[in-house]
Amino acid sequence: MVDAFVVSAAMLPMGKHRSSGYAGLAAPPARQALLDAGVERGDIDAVFCGHSFGGMLTGQRIAKELGLGGIPIVNTDNACSGGATALHLAQKSVAAGEHDIVLVVGVDKLTQFGGGTLPLVAEDPEVRQGMVMPALYAMRARRYLYERKAEPADLALVSVKARRHGAMNPFAQYQKEVDVDQVLSSRVIADPLTLLQCCPTGDGAAAVVVVSEKVFAAMGRPGMRIGASVLHSGTATSGTRNMLRPEISYHSAREAYAQAGITAADLDTVELHDAFSIAELVYYEALGLCEEGGSLEFLRSGETTFGGSVVVNPSGGLLSKGHPVGASGVAQVVEMFWQLTGVAGDRQVPDAKIALTHVTGGGISGFDHGACAVHIFERAD
């Protein structure tokens, strides 16, 4: 096994790119990532492409625009974890010595659905009963408010923080700060979640170049080592579920910490799956950023923003940056690359050395989530 390194990263500003197809969205950041890495098309050994709604052979259509062909191109659909799954496969291929230089792309285009909630698989028993993702997270929020003695204004604080961070990110879909009153008075989507507590619909693409230790040493450029790469599926259960303890995220994070040889206390910054405001509070505990039951005080204390012990979602997260599903896992890695190489601009986390990304994927009846990917990165000079 050899170490794998991310040596370049690029993404498209997230938003509503209605006139672009999947290849049109993904080709510009992919070209930029290759250019920044200083690699030629002929140097690329494989392409890994994550998406959920791009249809057949999305990766090949993007590769065609880049002039790539005759190499392995792997498409991964793992719902919101699709892009992170593509990185996981890329890391494993490099670590196993199969490839030296690979391109990882994440892309999705949600404006193709014309609005509303994401389409889910109709054969799922809970979907047939009317389950949609905002309703699932609203139930989780209701349980959280009851169990943690919290108020709706506490949920709103997550969105306020996300928008404050996103206001410093030129790649974010929303770049305007909001206050608690604005969050709470926005349109109700699934009580108690209001519009500003739900990630926006949008389109996006992101790309990174992953190389072997041998190539990284020859390049002589700053980058980040992939210290851990963990991918789990959900475990089927029946009966009552604890909606405040997402087992798949809990176990994925512990495995990642063991793999990287660190603890949660070593992290400088985190990009976690905040598709809805309540998710961030639940994942503070699942990732071990605070003790179980301590997420509310952890948020209120300011520990998860600039100046705190670990800056969570400096990009603005999915709530502000946007969440084009298959692109999100790679976009999180792009943000961490910028943070660990010191080029994140106004939102730079001072002296960031160790970072974590976390993304879950989809809802299936009987699973807490369909997939979960956790990556840990270490600055490498």
Side-chain angles (χ1 to χ4, degrees):
M1 298 283 284
V2 300
D3 282 339
F5 295 79
V6 179
V7 293
S8 68
M11 63 179 285
L12 195 72
M14 291 186 178
K16 298 183 187 300
H17 302 280
R18 290 190 173 88
S19 62
S20 295
Y22 273 70
L25 288 170
R31 286 197 192 95
Q32 189 63 51
L34 295 177
L35 180 66
D36 291 349
V39 298
E40 302 293 336
R41 286 178 296 182
D43 298 328
I44 302 299
D45 297 321
V47 176
F48 296 86
C49 176
H51 68 93
S52 285
F53 302 108
M56 192 179 294
L57 300 176
T58 297
Q60 281 83 344
R61 284 184 273 125
I62 296 166
K64 176 186 171 187
E65 293 298 313
L66 301 173
L68 294 172
I71 57 175
I73 298 175
V74 180
N75 292 282
T76 67
D77 167 12
N78 237 349
C80 307
S81 292
T85 301
L87 178 70
H88 176 74
L89 295 176
Q91 184 272 338
K92 288 178 73 71
S93 77
V94 170
E98 296 173 357
H99 302 122
D100 277 321
I101 305 177
V102 298
L103 174 65
V104 179
V105 178
V107 59
D108 250 320
K109 180 179 171 65
L110 303 190
T111 56
Q112 65 182 301
F113 300 116
T117 62
L118 282 178
L120 302 178
V121 177
E123 68 182 29
D124 187 278
E126 291 183 356
V127 173
R128 286 205 299 270
Q129 297 299 315
M131 179 62 75
V132 291
M133 298 311 288
L136 175 65
Y137 279 91
M139 288 192 287
R140 188 169 281 177
R142 278 288 173 205
R143 194 67 198 175
Y144 185 90
L145 295 179
Y146 174 78
E147 294 280 356
R148 302 287 190 265
K149 314 300 182 197
E151 300 293 333
D154 295 313
L155 300 177
L157 287 175
V158 175
S159 295
V160 170
K161 178 177 74 70
R163 287 297 193 96
R164 187 169 66 248
H165 292 181
M168 297 184 284
N169 184 0
F171 291 85
Q173 190 163 343
Y174 293 145
Q175 299 176 31
K176 183 178 179 182
E177 293 193 40
V178 296
D179 59 29
V180 169
D181 289 340
Q182 288 173 296
V183 174
L184 294 178
S185 62
S186 61
R187 177 164 55 93
V188 174
I189 299 300
D191 191 28
L193 301 179
T194 58
L195 179 65
L196 297 186
Q197 296 178 66
C198 305
C199 61
T201 296
D203 314 316
V208 300
V209 173
V210 178
V211 304
S212 65
E213 188 170 5
K214 175 183 67 178
V215 172
F216 178 73
M219 283 181 163
R221 64 173 60 240
M224 58 185 191
R225 187 176 77 88
I226 303 176
S229 180
V230 173
L231 175 65
H232 279 193
S233 70
T235 302
T237 57
S238 60
T240 302
R241 283 172 264 171
N242 183 348
M243 301 191 79
L244 302 187
R245 185 183 167 93
E247 294 291 343
I248 188 172
S249 291
Y250 183 92
H251 293 296
S252 297
R254 269 68 184 172
E255 185 176 328
Y257 294 140
Q259 205 175 98
I262 67 165
T263 70
D266 295 315
L267 297 170
D268 297 304
T269 182
V270 169
E271 285 279 318
L272 59 73
H273 190 109
D274 63 332
F276 300 90
S277 58
I278 178 59
E280 178 159 327
L281 289 162
V282 171
Y283 292 138
Y284 286 165
E285 299 179 19
L287 300 181
L289 304 181
C290 67
E291 63 182 14
E292 190 169 344
S295 54
L296 187 55
E297 180 54 34
F298 193 54
L299 173 70
R300 288 171 173 169
S301 69
E303 291 293 338
T304 60
T305 189
F306 293 90
S309 58
V310 55
V311 182
V312 176
N313 293 337
S315 70
L318 308 185
L319 286 169
S320 185
K321 183 179 60 183
H323 183 24
V325 186
S328 294
V330 182
Q332 290 179 328
V333 178
V334 170
E335 176 67 17
M336 295 294 91
F337 180 84
W338 288 340
Q339 291 289 346
L340 295 195
T341 56
V343 297
D346 292 341
R347 66 186 186 286
Q348 178 67 50
V349 177
D351 199 29
K353 295 184 178 68
I354 302 179
L356 177 147
T357 60
H358 158 265
V359 59
T360 62
I364 298 176
S365 177
F367 282 18
D368 58 2
H369 278 107
C372 177
V374 174
H375 286 88
I376 292 174
F377 304 98
E378 302 170 15
R379 187 168 71 193
D381 298 314

